Amino acid sequence: MDDNYSQWYNNLVVKAGLAENSAVRGCMVIKPYGYAIWEKMQAALDKMFKETGHENAYFPLFIPKSFFSKEAHHVEGFAKECAVVTHYRLKNDPDGKGVIVDPDARLEEELIVRPTSETIIWNTYKNWIHSYRDLPILCNQWANVVRWEMRTRLFLRTAEFLWQEGHTAHATREEALAEAEKMIGVYEKFATEWMALPVVVGHKSENERFAGAEDTLTIEALMQDGKALQSGTSHFLAQNFAKAFDVTFTNKEGKQEYVWATSWGVSTRLMGALIMAHSDNNGLVLPPKLAPIQVVLIPIYKGEEELKAITERLDDIAASLRAAGLSVKIDDRDNVRSGFKFAEYELKGVPVRLAMGPRDMQNGTIELVRRDTLEKEFVPQEGLTERVVSLMDDIQQNIYKKALDFRNSMITKVDTYDEFKKALEEKGGFISAHWDGTVETEERIKEETKATIRCIPIDAEPEEGKCILTGKPSHRRVLFAIAY
Amino acid sequence: MDDNYSQWYNNLVVKAGLAENSAVRGCMVIKPYGYAIWEKMQAALDKMFKETGHENAYFPLFIPKSFFSKEAHHVEGFAKECAVVTHYRLKNDPDGKGVIVDPDARLEEELIVRPTSETIIWNTYKNWIHSYRDLPILCNQWANVVRWEMRTRLFLRTAEFLWQEGHTAHATREEALAEAEKMIGVYEKFATEWMALPVVVGHKSENERFAGAEDTLTIEALMQDGKALQSGTSHFLAQNFAKAFDVTFTNKEGKQEYVWATSWGVSTRLMGALIMAHSDNNGLVLPPKLAPIQVVLIPIYKGEEELKAITERLDDIAASLRAAGLSVKIDDRDNVRSGFKFAEYELKGVPVRLAMGPRDMQNGTIELVRRDTLEKEFVPQEGLTERVVSLMDDIQQNIYKKALDFRNSMITKVDTYDEFKKALEEKGGFISAHWDGTVETEERIKEETKATIRCIPIDAEPEEGKCILTGKPSHRRVLFAIAY
């Protein structure tokens, strides 16, 4: 992990059975254990979306090429690196070598595999919205999207990825702004409470804004190597897409107005954040709320008879744990040693491991190891379920606290460009600095140091200062970092 | 419905807010109300899959073209009508007219948008399977797929559709056969218990078999217009894909063997089955188990004061119904009449409608209308929750019974080709007849009558007879129908 963070990450993703590269360049296979974590994320987020009044829907995978040209910024940001469908049929190769694209089956207009769905959705909303009574529309979709990335990394940057994208339509600017803020709040809450991941909420600079947005809110997390990871965004799109797709409504006064919009999304990238924020050299460290297996039970035995007696007792314990709402696995495989099993569940980040041998049977005890600290203790079997249930909370809190302490220790205030470069090089993490607010300055800093403005924190205190690069006046600090 | 079933179906799908055609030919938008039904289907199926030991995973959207050539039957069945990605970049049109495909960004090998995932999955399984200890693999994925259909109909046949596809790998032929049977059983149970849809379970004839399968099991349902709808299939793939992708394992005796496979799937086509099996001229009739709104409450009032009093009472009733696990909506909109609301919830198929006016307030009664029979009665408010809960079961059963009675009345036994054609023309439905077992006969019958063999029912009694077309000997009856 310390030697080669990038290699460590990739090995961990593969060895823990989360995902792997596929035969298709840039596309990953999400393996059952990884997908089980993603499903838990989806379930928690979906519930939060519904509790805030949103409904799910589904829009087409393909977008006509011409749709991208309708919003000028959007086409620059998205239409370039994308998968283009040009034909709709294959035929047998006349040379007998498999199949070839049938040149007679060329599409009149090429279709783009959606990199994001604003265009096709606003083209649809045009038919749904006529009066203020049709507003707001609060839709979300769970979908796959494709962006043709040249350098891909499992979960963090893949050509195809899974995500949700919310697309809402409102009668007023204020309502749309409030929606964009509400949803970044939902993401913050999810990151904090479920992923045990502390995040900074802030506005993106113009440079880093979503293509087509008037404002982009972001949650930024810090990985253990000191790099930042943008983990979710919520965009105030103003009337840009309504104008591009001519979506108007009759307001209460009977006048025609363009509709106001937001969009917001998180993706399987969150898996990368989860892995990089908490794991160690032994493997994954999963917060109990997202762990597919929360408790694993392992019998330590010699011979059939011991195994039978211990397994019976473990079955009872498992039943009690399950009745308390925990997800439990008993691993009684006889072809691998218990040491191998211990290592495997450490690798997989199972929050609590319980092991029972013949002496425990006699003593009424059980060996308990928590994954976050790797502390081992022998505890009484009596009251075990209550102990484990309460330990789940402890572990969830402890993982969060550890990540929060680390993150807080990695925010460095600097006042000069030299300090800035030194901090970036020697320590990494977030650098809190003054900036003159211009795109040019941000770009020059990026060129010279690779650091970008991760966000202008929403709780940034007003503070007069001078831009670290240009010395021009600045009214608050912003957070820089080198980012994934 | 009687005049033009096809038009009635399409209008119903659109008017009830389930789905609509999109700007992309053949691709639909699934609207929130339709998607909410699909989500309930997904949740029920997903639970059944997990209870039978399956895990979810996710495989790439794209499949390299060459993969399709590896299984001879599969390429004939699937690789022809499909969306082909040939380029990965757009660029600004030098003439300033939007964007064009960048000719420099041509893929070395074209990618096919998956029409089904056997090929990419078996290419992946090759790396997962080495020993008998790695088997079975029991994976499912929820995904979108694309088949370039020329004539599309909402839910029934669309270029892009949503589905689940299970792909399992086994050490023995017997185990794979048992899996294929188990999963068609899961589909039968789901159709029966959740969709209130009676289905015939059977084997497909060779002609109608999945491209690459050695046996295809199907559930066949009957729509109200007398046409059959294939609603789910489960395939025994033998070692065909293992051979095509060279997937072998070391068995317990230390010998290398090819792996045995199944695949099975249901899709958003089930939405079409649900709609066409139960709906009437007033709109949808949803089985309570799949209804997004199970009970709607409507106040009948004049003036603010009455509205307030009635709504307060309805709030209490709604709370009690929700506490009993029902999904409830109160519609107190003041800009539409209650008659309009009644029609709207009939259109949307809400199983139970409760309406309360001032007289009901005085009498302690409420108006209850069940959607399946449209029977109206005034019932006491006391004990209402218990009554509605038990009514949900009644409605679920009644919808099933109605569909079952209809289906049973639409199975006609014939012994001659003349009877066959007469029954098909005058009555439709399933025709139970003897067939000589050859592809040629089935094809000639299809050409002459449009009827195909829907299935050879698994519970078909042995019965000696003569093929209706050729007079050759036959040992059991099969079911023919004109199908969607």
Side-chain angles (χ1 to χ4, degrees):
Chain A
M1 181 169 174
D2 290 335
D3 295 348
N4 188 337
Y5 193 82
S6 171
Q7 188 65 49
W8 164 84
Y9 170 78
N10 203 67
N11 286 349
L12 179 52
V13 170
V14 172
K15 285 189 183 162
L18 301 176
E20 63 186 35
N21 286 309
S22 78
V24 184
R25 209 196 58 78
C27 292
M28 65 181 160
V29 172
I30 307 179
K31 298 183 77 173
Y33 193 63
Y35 201 84
I37 300 172
W38 175 242
E39 278 184 305
K40 285 191 168 263
M41 289 187 174
Q42 282 187 300
L45 284 164
D46 198 69
K47 187 157 176 280
M48 292 168 90
F49 297 157
K50 284 175 177 156
E51 282 168 358
T52 46
H54 302 87
E55 299 177 300
N56 288 329
Y58 189 76
F59 297 88
L61 171 67
F62 299 129
I63 302 178
K65 192 188 68 179
S66 58
F67 280 27
F68 278 96
S69 313
K70 296 196 179 186
E71 214 286 335
H73 295 284
H74 198 65
V75 70
E76 285 305 314
F78 284 107
K80 296 308 167 62
E81 309 297 325
C82 55
V84 187
V85 177
T86 56
H87 291 75
Y88 58 84
R89 198 189 304 136
L90 299 175
K91 64 173 191 177
N92 290 325
D93 187 341
D95 300 342
K97 291 178 196 155
V99 281
I100 59 166
V101 177
D102 185 343
D104 293 340
R106 192 172 171 82
L107 289 169
E108 273 184 47
E109 179 178 3
E110 294 89 353
L111 296 172
I112 312 304
V113 179
R114 63 183 163 217
T116 181
S117 302
E118 278 77 7
T119 54
I120 187 86
I121 288 179
W122 278 87
N123 184 69
T124 307
Y125 281 179
K126 184 177 167 57
N127 302 317
W128 294 7
I129 300 170
H130 304 287
S131 139
Y132 70 94
R133 289 197 182 270
D134 301 321
L135 296 170
I137 292 178
L138 304 172
C139 275
N140 175 62
Q141 94 170 341
W142 291 95
N144 52 345
V145 285
V146 173
R147 296 175 189 177
W148 209 267
E149 301 287 351
M150 281 302 154
R151 283 183 214 161
T152 63
R153 300 186 66 183
L154 292 167
F155 289 126
L156 296 174
R157 196 176 291 277
T158 47
E160 182 192 16
F161 57 91
L162 304 184
W163 79 343
Q164 60 68 216
E165 47 182 324
H167 294 272
T168 69
H170 305 268
T172 66
R173 178 183 187 89
E174 291 67 36
E175 200 184 296
L177 278 168
E179 168 78 8
E181 276 171 31
K182 180 195 284 178
M183 297 322 289
I184 205 70
V186 164
Y187 292 155
E188 181 191 18
K189 189 178 160 74
F190 173 74
T192 309
E193 295 181 9
W194 289 80
M195 297 177 65
L197 186 70
V199 292
V200 180
V201 183
H203 299 269
K204 283 289 183 192
S205 63
E206 192 186 333
N207 224 18
E208 298 275 328
R209 208 175 275 160
F210 177 79
E214 195 172 304
D215 187 19
T216 288
L217 288 157
T218 179
I219 52 169
E220 297 283 326
L222 198 69
M223 303 298 100
Q224 291 176 88
D225 63 348
K227 284 195 194 169
L229 186 86
Q230 176 180 308
S231 304
T233 48
S234 178
H235 315 292
F236 170 63
L237 303 174
Q239 295 171 314
N240 293 343
F241 286 90
K243 284 176 182 165
F245 289 89
D246 194 28
V247 188
T248 60
F249 71 103
T250 312
N251 69 15
K252 284 190 188 176
E253 289 75 40
K255 285 186 187 154
Q256 289 296 109
E257 279 191 70
Y258 285 111
V259 179
W260 298 85
T262 82
S263 67
W264 29 273
V266 294
S267 73
T268 36
R269 190 166 221 229
L270 287 179
M271 293 287 295
L274 187 74
I275 298 158
M276 290 205 295
H278 304 309
S279 303
D280 60 27
N281 277 320
N282 293 43
L284 295 177
V285 176
L286 293 178
K289 283 189 179 182
L290 295 176
I293 305 165
Q294 294 173 307
V295 186
V296 65
L297 283 70
I298 298 170
I300 316 287
Y301 63 96
K302 283 179 194 147
E304 285 280 319
E305 208 167 308
E306 254 182 40
L307 174 61
K308 187 161 175 285
I310 294 174
T311 305
E312 267 174 27
R313 187 75 199 94
L314 289 182
D315 283 339
D316 290 346
I317 292 173
S320 169
L321 292 168
R322 287 192 185 111
L326 297 170
S327 73
V328 177
K329 177 176 173 171
I330 300 181
D331 185 348
D332 57 2
R333 281 179 294 172
D334 61 1
N335 63 318
V336 293
R337 293 177 185 215
S338 38
F340 180 91
K341 294 181 189 176
F342 292 174
E344 181 172 324
Y345 296 106
E346 280 174 19
L347 177 62
K348 294 206 158 207
V350 175
V352 167
R353 177 177 91 217
L354 298 170
M356 190 187 283
R359 192 174 299 170
D360 294 308
M361 288 285 282
Q362 279 175 3
N363 299 347
T365 56
I366 194 162
E367 185 189 286
L368 184 158
V369 179
R370 50 187 285 182
R371 175 63 184 89
D372 58 337
T373 60
L374 292 173
E375 281 164 9
K376 182 197 288 191
E377 50 178 340
F378 289 86
V379 301
Q381 291 173 28
E382 208 181 308
L384 181 66
T385 297
E386 295 68 31
R387 182 187 285 265
V388 173
V389 167
S390 117
L391 193 53
M392 289 294 143
D393 277 343
D394 286 358
I395 295 173
Q396 183 85 26
Q397 296 308 322
N398 183 54
I399 294 176
Y400 177 71
K401 193 178 172 303
K402 198 180 154 203
L404 182 65
D405 288 346
F406 173 73
R407 198 277 312 271
N408 287 345
S409 78
M410 293 291 279
I411 303 179
T412 310
K413 273 196 187 182
V414 303
D415 290 312
T416 69
Y417 198 39
D418 281 345
E419 282 172 24
F420 179 88
K421 287 187 279 192
K422 187 160 180 283
L424 210 54
E425 194 170 320
E426 291 178 5
K427 188 174 173 188
F430 288 121
I431 320 280
S432 174
H434 280 283
W435 162 61
D436 65 15
T438 68
V439 172
E440 297 72 36
T441 300
E442 183 176 3
E443 282 185 344
R444 214 179 110 199
I445 293 175
K446 184 178 177 181
E447 267 167 39
E448 291 176 9
T449 67
K450 290 185 183 155
T452 50
I453 297 173
R454 300 322 303 156
C455 70
I456 304 150
I458 48 167
D459 57 2
E461 304 272 330
E463 181 192 296
E464 294 306 310
K466 286 178 181 170
C467 175
I468 49 165
L469 187 76
T470 63
K472 287 183 189 161
S474 152
H475 312 294
R476 70 182 95 62
R477 290 174 180 272
V478 302
L479 286 187
F480 286 86
I482 294 174
Y484 277 95
Chain B
M1 183 170 174
D2 291 332
D3 295 348
N4 187 339
Y5 193 82
S6 170
Q7 187 65 49
W8 164 83
Y9 170 77
N10 203 66
N11 286 348
L12 178 53
V13 170
V14 173
K15 284 190 184 163
L18 301 177
E20 62 186 34
N21 286 309
S22 78
V24 183
R25 208 196 59 77
C27 292
M28 65 181 160
V29 173
I30 307 179
K31 299 182 75 173
Y33 193 63
Y35 202 84
I37 300 172
W38 176 241
E39 278 182 306
K40 286 191 168 264
M41 289 186 174
Q42 283 187 299
L45 283 164
D46 198 69
K47 188 157 176 281
M48 292 168 89
F49 297 158
K50 284 174 178 156
E51 283 167 358
T52 46
H54 301 87
E55 299 178 300
N56 288 328
Y58 188 76
F59 298 88
L61 172 66
F62 299 130
I63 302 178
K65 192 188 68 180
S66 59
F67 281 26
F68 278 95
S69 313
K70 296 196 179 185
E71 214 287 333
H73 295 284
H74 198 65
V75 68
E76 285 305 313
F78 283 106
K80 296 307 168 61
E81 310 296 326
C82 55
V84 187
V85 177
T86 56
H87 291 75
Y88 58 84
R89 198 189 302 137
L90 299 175
K91 65 173 192 177
N92 290 325
D93 187 342
D95 299 342
K97 289 177 196 155
V99 281
I100 58 166
V101 177
D102 185 343
D104 293 339
R106 191 173 172 80
L107 289 169
E108 273 184 46
E109 179 178 5
E110 294 89 352
L111 297 172
I112 311 303
V113 180
R114 62 182 164 217
T116 181
S117 300
E118 277 78 8
T119 55
I120 187 86
I121 288 179
W122 278 86
N123 185 68
T124 307
Y125 281 178
K126 183 177 169 56
N127 302 318
W128 294 7
I129 300 170
H130 305 287
S131 140
Y132 71 93
R133 290 198 181 269
D134 301 321
L135 297 170
I137 293 178
L138 304 173
C139 274
N140 174 63
Q141 93 170 341
W142 291 95
N144 52 346
V145 284
V146 172
R147 298 175 188 178
W148 209 267
E149 301 286 352
M150 281 301 153
R151 284 184 210 159
T152 63
R153 300 186 66 183
L154 293 167
F155 290 123
L156 297 174
R157 194 176 291 277
T158 48
E160 183 193 16
F161 56 92
L162 305 183
W163 80 342
Q164 60 68 217
E165 46 182 325
H167 294 272
T168 70
H170 306 267
T172 64
R173 178 184 186 88
E174 292 65 37
E175 200 183 296
L177 278 168
E179 167 78 8
E181 274 170 32
K182 181 197 280 178
M183 297 322 288
I184 204 70
V186 165
Y187 291 155
E188 180 191 19
K189 188 176 160 75
F190 173 75
T192 308
E193 293 181 10
W194 290 80
M195 297 176 66
L197 186 70
V199 291
V200 180
V201 182
H203 299 271
K204 283 288 183 192
S205 62
E206 192 186 332
N207 223 19
E208 299 275 327
R209 208 176 275 159
F210 177 79
E214 194 172 304
D215 186 20
T216 288
L217 289 156
T218 178
I219 51 169
E220 298 283 327
L222 198 70
M223 303 297 100
Q224 291 177 84
D225 63 347
K227 283 194 194 168
L229 187 83
Q230 176 180 309
S231 303
T233 48
S234 179
H235 315 293
F236 170 64
L237 302 174
Q239 296 171 314
N240 294 342
F241 286 91
K243 285 176 181 166
F245 290 89
D246 193 28
V247 188
T248 60
F249 72 103
T250 312
N251 68 16
K252 284 190 188 176
E253 290 75 39
K255 285 188 188 153
Q256 288 296 109
E257 280 190 70
Y258 284 112
V259 180
W260 298 85
T262 81
S263 67
W264 29 273
V266 295
S267 73
T268 36
R269 190 165 221 233
L270 288 180
M271 293 288 296
L274 187 75
I275 298 158
M276 289 204 296
H278 304 310
S279 304
D280 61 27
N281 278 320
N282 293 43
L284 294 176
V285 176
L286 294 178
K289 284 189 179 183
L290 295 176
I293 306 164
Q294 294 174 305
V295 187
V296 63
L297 283 71
I298 298 170
I300 315 289
Y301 63 96
K302 283 179 190 144
E304 285 281 318
E305 208 165 310
E306 256 182 36
L307 174 62
K308 189 161 174 287
I310 293 172
T311 305
E312 268 174 27
R313 187 76 199 92
L314 289 183
D315 283 339
D316 290 345
I317 291 172
S320 168
L321 291 168
R322 286 192 186 111
L326 297 170
S327 73
V328 178
K329 177 176 174 172
I330 300 180
D331 186 347
D332 57 2
R333 281 179 295 173
D334 61 1
N335 63 318
V336 292
R337 293 178 186 215
S338 37
F340 179 92
K341 294 180 188 178
F342 292 175
E344 181 171 323
Y345 296 106
E346 281 174 16
L347 177 62
K348 294 207 156 207
V350 175
V352 167
R353 178 177 90 217
L354 298 169
M356 191 187 282
R359 193 173 296 171
D360 292 309
M361 287 286 280
Q362 279 175 6
N363 298 350
T365 57
I366 194 163
E367 186 189 286
L368 184 158
V369 179
R370 53 187 282 181
R371 176 63 184 89
D372 58 335
T373 59
L374 292 173
E375 281 165 7
K376 182 196 291 191
E377 52 177 339
F378 289 86
V379 301
Q381 291 172 28
E382 209 181 306
L384 182 66
T385 297
E386 294 69 30
R387 181 187 288 263
V388 172
V389 166
S390 115
L391 193 52
M392 289 294 142
D393 277 343
D394 287 357
I395 295 173
Q396 184 84 28
Q397 296 309 322
N398 182 54
I399 294 175
Y400 177 71
K401 193 178 173 304
K402 200 180 153 202
L404 182 65
D405 289 346
F406 173 73
R407 199 277 311 270
N408 287 345
S409 77
M410 293 291 279
I411 303 178
T412 310
K413 273 196 187 181
V414 302
D415 290 312
T416 69
Y417 198 39
D418 280 345
E419 281 173 24
F420 180 88
K421 287 189 279 192
K422 188 160 180 282
L424 210 55
E425 194 171 321
E426 290 177 5
K427 189 174 173 187
F430 288 121
I431 319 281
S432 175
H434 280 284
W435 162 61
D436 64 15
T438 68
V439 172
E440 296 71 36
T441 299
E442 182 177 4
E443 281 185 346
R444 212 178 112 200
I445 292 175
K446 185 178 177 181
E447 266 169 40
E448 290 178 10
T449 67
K450 291 184 183 155
T452 49
I453 296 173
R454 301 321 303 154
C455 71
I456 304 150
I458 48 167
D459 57 2
E461 305 272 330
E463 182 192 296
E464 294 306 310
K466 287 179 181 170
C467 174
I468 49 165
L469 187 75
T470 63
K472 288 183 190 161
S474 152
H475 312 295
R476 71 181 96 62
R477 289 173 181 272
V478 301
L479 285 186
F480 286 85
I482 293 173
Y484 276 95

